[in-house]
Amino acid sequence: MHLDVGTWFAALIDWLLANFGWFFNAVSWLINLLVGEVANVLIGLHPFLIIALLVAAAAGLTRSVGLSVFSVLAFLLIYSMGLWTDSMSTLAVVLVSVVFSLAIGIPLGIWAALNNTVSKVVRPILDLMQAMPVFVYLIPAVFFFGVGMVPGIAATIVFAIPPAVRLTELGIRKLDVELLEAATAFGAKRSLVLKDVQLPLAFPSIMAGVNQVIMLALSMVVVAGLVGAGGLGGVVVQGVAQLDTARGFEGGLAVVILAVYLDRVTGGAQSLGDVLRRRRVRKEQRAAATTTPAAAREAATTAAN
Amino acid sequence: MNTVELGTTTADRTVGAKQTGAPFIRVENLTKVFQLTKSGRSGLFGRRPLKGFTAVDKVSFEVERGQIFVIMGLSGSGKSTIIRMINRLIDASDGTITVDGKDVRSLPASELRAYRNQTINMVFQHFGLFPHKSLVDNVAFGLKVRGVDKATREAKAAEALTLVGLGDRIHAMPDQLSGGMKQRVGLARALATDAEILLMDEPFSALDPLIRKDMQELLIKLQRNFKKTILFVTHDLNEAMYLGDRIMVMKQGKDMQNGTALDLLEAPADPYIEEFVAEVDRSRVITAGMVARRSPAPAGAPAPAGAPAPGAATAPGAATAPGAAAVGEPGERVQEDVVLHELLPIFAAGAGWAAVVDKNGAPIGKVTAEEVFAALAPKGFSNAS
Ligand SMILES: Nc1ncnc2c1ncn2[C@@H]1O[C@H](COP(=O)(O)OP(=O)(O)O)[C@@H](O)[C@H]1O
Ligand SMILES: [Mg+2]
């Protein structure tokens, strides 16, 4: 017996297209607009200015001299390989995809963390999304959005969502029960517990999710080159199609540079929360050092009475 | 004579009842059955019928305002479950909980939050401090929930931290503190909200013995000023006896005995409790006040917490031990919280009795050497021995 699962899926796609065409058009328009704007900025500004900004971001977020030096050299290398424009359009695509993936994935992860039913429903879907060969995403994406940059981005967004959901849910769920009890025992509403306790403490885990989303998006960008998404993916696909090893390698190298840069920088951002908090606390301590003795005396006398 | 005495006792009781109203906290037939889920317990093959596990079984008790009520028992006996049902971190399966006349189990969500925020706070075994907040922000949390503005709540939090001896470290982070200090913060957090009731779930169990002793003393000291109503969970009988006005001993979800420290020592209700109390150093647990307050005869009912008239209090003692009172030299006046261990030198020096006064200097009664020695002698479970 042969079950025609594939045909059913195709029928579903047709049905969606017939009934939700307006939705896909709207998404298409929005994505085009956003990527266009971001790419305009990245490509429009002088490359050296962009490089300076990227290096400053690396230095600020990671405080690592090594990474800063690497960034300078690596981006200059991209520039001198003549891949600057392609790299920046890829970066624009990655940034927009990541923003969409996170905008869907993080709230979904929060919801799944707070609601067991949602978690149970979402988990197998995420498994499916991650296990499915990436090319499969491209086929319906092309149906929905035609050929070009948008289907590549749409496929990238879907492909990159799972880690955002999973790591957000994990970060919130693994929280010490006693802390949840403490917040609840003092009468806090669910929303305050989430905002004041769960999310801040889940921040490193959520940032790990962001990091993975970026890496997945970047890896998908090359694949998206197959449907004409352009950028570095286009360069690599061209290299493969023309059996041009040199060109393909250069495109690949630029992807690797972007990958290493984004990975290290977002990795460093995981501990950013801690760094900022400690700085604030130190500042308060210094500020309080002058006023505290008087305040303490005052409190002591109040207590004695 | 008898009728008069009975009359006065009843009168005293009614006065006491009027002062405190109905018991501040009243728990009746409180029961918790945990439903063991399929994934939890049933085996590989199947759908074994799901049966509940009764963690707390028809427990009833009452707590007066200003009392420290200790729930004691071995691990797994249901202590944490009981106090979590009182602030509804766990929903009870059956029974009633009344706090200050309110039926806690039927509070709607918003009133429940107000009840938790304003009436009943909690101190946790592993401190439950928010690691991402400084001490002052941790302590101010309850006030933040209440909607108090930042400046006021921080001032209040700083004051509470000063009370527990951490006034100079209000901007430190929790992970910079030792265990004992962390629990001081936990205590300050519960004090800062001015809630009348404190739930303390083995708050000192995770601490070193010396630090634990410090914390117990701090709690007693704070309690003298604040007169909170405290439900204190512990598995340590010495701690229970040191802190508890009343102690309830739990075993496998059931209330085995509920009484004062002296009740447990003098008349353990079953062999399980007898075994527990056998390890207690009586001379360091029983206080002069406990002996002086104890009713020597059925006629002299237990003195209510509100200090009775001096004459009435001394009368029963004089009636039961006239010899001692007449023969012995009057000893010193001692505070009611002096343990018998410290009382012994007075008797060794030849005194026949000592007058016991409360912390305001008002007389409570007296203790004779015979009473002290009798209190120190271990007593078995009456049916067993
Ligand atoms: N959520 C739960 N589900 C199932 N059983 C539980 C749950 N919480 C506690 N129990 C069980 O209830 C019993 C009493 O637990 P607890 O109140 O924590 O005891 P204690 O605080 O006295 O150590 C234990 O046997 C424990 O395993
Ligand atoms: Mg417990």
Side-chain angles (χ1 to χ4, degrees):
Chain A
M1 185 171 112
H2 177 75
L3 277 182
D4 232 349
V5 178
T7 316
W8 296 340
F9 184 70
L12 174 69
I13 300 292
D14 283 343
W15 180 81
L16 284 174
L17 212 48
N19 291 283
F20 292 95
W22 55 270
F23 171 74
F24 296 114
N25 286 338
V27 171
S28 184
W29 172 81
L30 184 65
I31 288 178
N32 262 318
L33 180 79
L34 289 175
V35 174
E37 290 297 323
V38 176
N40 275 345
V41 172
L42 290 178
I43 297 169
L45 294 176
H46 193 278
F48 291 164
L49 178 59
I50 300 285
I51 292 179
L53 290 175
L54 290 170
V55 172
L61 289 172
T62 64
R63 287 146 201 286
S64 149
V65 179
L67 183 67
S68 309
V69 173
F70 162 84
S71 309
V72 175
L73 297 178
F75 284 113
L76 285 176
L77 178 62
I78 289 181
Y79 179 71
S80 59
M81 289 191 297
L83 289 175
W84 183 257
T85 310
D86 285 319
S87 296
M88 287 304 108
S89 72
T90 290
L91 189 57
V93 167
V94 169
L95 289 179
V96 171
S97 316
V98 166
V99 167
F100 272 92
S101 292
L102 296 179
I104 299 168
I106 291 178
L108 196 57
I110 293 173
W111 197 21
L114 300 182
N115 186 318
N116 287 333
T117 316
V118 173
S119 176
K120 278 200 194 100
V121 172
V122 162
R123 198 166 307 152
I125 298 177
L126 294 181
D127 288 339
L128 188 82
M129 283 166 73
Q130 278 191 314
M132 192 65 87
V134 291
F135 297 98
V136 179
Y137 288 108
L138 288 174
I139 307 164
V142 169
F143 274 108
F144 289 140
F145 302 108
V147 176
M149 183 185 65
V150 177
I153 294 181
T156 305
I157 291 170
V158 174
F159 181 64
I161 285 175
V165 181
R166 277 191 209 284
L167 285 163
T168 302
E169 179 180 354
L170 179 75
I172 294 175
R173 278 192 187 263
K174 72 160 191 244
L175 191 72
D176 184 356
V177 193
E178 225 183 47
L179 291 182
L180 266 192
E181 280 191 332
T184 314
F186 279 84
K189 278 187 190 168
R190 272 296 271 286
S191 55
L192 184 72
V193 178
L194 185 67
K195 181 175 109 1
D196 221 43
V197 178
Q198 289 176 299
L199 286 182
L201 290 173
F203 183 76
S205 181
I206 295 175
M207 282 310 294
V210 171
N211 175 281
Q212 288 199 18
V213 167
I214 291 177
M215 300 320 284
L216 281 183
L218 199 55
S219 74
M220 188 68 183
V221 156
V222 177
V223 179
L226 287 174
V227 291
L232 292 176
V235 174
V236 173
V237 169
Q238 229 178 21
V240 172
Q242 299 168 0
L243 293 179
D244 182 345
T245 314
R247 194 72 184 142
F249 181 77
E250 284 176 359
L253 190 60
V255 172
V256 169
I257 288 171
L258 279 184
V260 171
Y261 174 82
L262 291 172
D263 180 55
R264 297 299 184 274
V265 170
T266 51
Q270 284 178 39
S271 52
L272 187 66
D274 274 348
V275 173
L276 291 180
R277 204 152 41 232
R278 292 206 180 272
R279 187 185 302 169
R280 185 177 63 86
V281 166
R282 267 200 307 273
K283 208 167 76 188
E284 279 183 11
Q285 266 164 349
R286 242 175 286 131
T290 48
T291 56
T292 305
R297 252 197 316 279
E298 192 181 315
T301 39
T302 332
N305 294 339
Chain B
M1 170 74 191
N2 264 348
T3 44
V4 172
E5 244 192 58
L6 276 174
T8 50
T9 326
T10 335
D12 279 346
R13 273 191 187 149
T14 18
V15 169
K18 255 182 207 148
Q19 280 170 347
T20 51
F24 190 39
I25 302 175
R26 167 186 253 136
V27 169
E28 277 172 314
N29 290 322
L30 191 62
T31 298
K32 178 66 195 183
V33 180
F34 282 113
Q35 292 305 329
L36 302 176
T37 55
K38 237 192 324 168
S39 55
R41 294 290 163 98
S42 85
L44 183 61
F45 301 105
R47 307 191 136 268
R48 233 177 273 162
L50 303 178
K51 61 177 164 89
F53 170 76
T54 307
V56 176
D57 193 2
K58 296 205 189 69
V59 169
S60 304
F61 58 89
E62 291 175 357
V63 185
E64 303 287 346
R65 262 204 171 81
Q67 247 186 5
I68 300 185
F69 185 87
V70 173
I71 303 174
M72 205 207 73
L74 296 177
S75 155
S77 56
K79 310 178 297 292
S80 297
T81 308
I82 290 182
I83 64 167
R84 276 167 176 72
M85 286 192 282
I86 291 173
N87 68 352
R88 278 186 47 190
L89 287 179
I90 295 179
D91 272 315
S93 309
D94 198 14
T96 57
I97 303 166
T98 319
V99 172
D100 206 7
K102 265 187 296 200
D103 177 12
V104 171
R105 287 191 62 201
S106 65
L107 289 178
S110 66
E111 280 180 48
L112 174 62
R113 283 197 302 271
Y115 163 68
R116 284 172 177 161
N117 186 262
Q118 288 157 29
T119 310
I120 191 160
N121 280 172
M122 193 157 175
V123 178
F124 294 86
Q125 181 171 7
H126 302 290
F127 324 126
L129 300 184
F130 305 120
H132 61 300
K133 290 176 182 286
S134 64
L135 302 194
V136 64
D137 287 344
N138 262 287
V139 174
F141 185 77
L143 297 169
K144 180 177 183 179
V145 169
R146 200 178 291 176
V148 175
D149 68 273
K150 195 167 157 65
T152 314
R153 69 177 188 245
E154 287 190 350
K156 205 116 208 255
E159 196 179 306
L161 280 165
T162 307
L163 281 175
V164 297
L166 285 171
D168 54 341
R169 305 210 51 187
I170 63 174
H171 293 294
M173 297 301 278
D175 61 9
Q176 299 173 310
L177 303 184
S178 66
M181 285 176 166
K182 283 183 187 165
Q183 197 56 297
R184 284 167 191 261
V185 179
L187 207 49
R189 181 169 63 178
L191 289 176
T193 60
D194 292 326
E196 277 193 83
I197 305 174
L198 292 192
L199 303 177
M200 306 184 81
D201 189 0
E202 306 210 24
F204 308 146
S205 298
L207 306 177
D208 297 337
L210 282 178
I211 309 284
R212 192 183 311 161
K213 193 77 200 154
D214 283 349
M215 292 300 290
Q216 290 165 356
E217 279 161 13
L218 174 69
L219 182 65
I220 293 283
K221 202 180 94 200
L222 291 171
Q223 175 67 354
R224 239 175 247 144
N225 291 330
F226 290 97
K227 283 271 163 245
K228 302 273 184 194
T229 305
I230 300 178
L231 266 77
F232 189 104
V233 165
T234 180
H235 60 249
D236 172 356
L237 188 63
N238 280 307
E239 185 170 70
M241 302 233 159
Y242 180 62
L243 294 174
D245 293 315
R246 286 192 81 80
I247 301 166
M248 177 168 81
V249 184
M250 300 280 304
K251 183 185 179 186
Q252 290 167 9
K254 292 198 175 65
D255 165 12
M256 304 306 290
Q257 186 168 8
N258 177 342
T260 62
L262 204 54
D263 291 341
L264 300 192
L265 289 171
E266 300 282 276
D270 87 336
Y272 170 77
I273 298 171
E274 186 191 336
E275 218 172 288
F276 252 123
V277 298
E279 289 163 24
V280 170
D281 179 352
R282 290 159 176 267
S283 72
R284 289 175 200 276
V285 166
I286 304 177
T287 64
M290 287 181 192
V291 179
R293 280 209 163 95
R294 181 167 45 152
S295 60
T314 43
T320 44
V327 176
E329 288 294 308
E332 295 164 39
R333 284 150 59 91
V334 295
Q335 293 271 321
E336 62 170 323
D337 57 359
V338 167
V339 292
L340 298 192
H341 177 77
E342 296 165 29
L343 217 52
L344 292 177
I346 298 176
F347 296 118
W353 56 278
V356 183
V357 296
D358 69 13
K359 57 185 172 299
N360 301 323
I364 293 169
K366 59 182 186 174
V367 288
T368 64
E370 282 86 347
E371 283 172 333
V372 168
F373 293 133
L376 289 178
K379 294 164 190 77
F381 165 54
S382 47
N383 295 346
S385 53

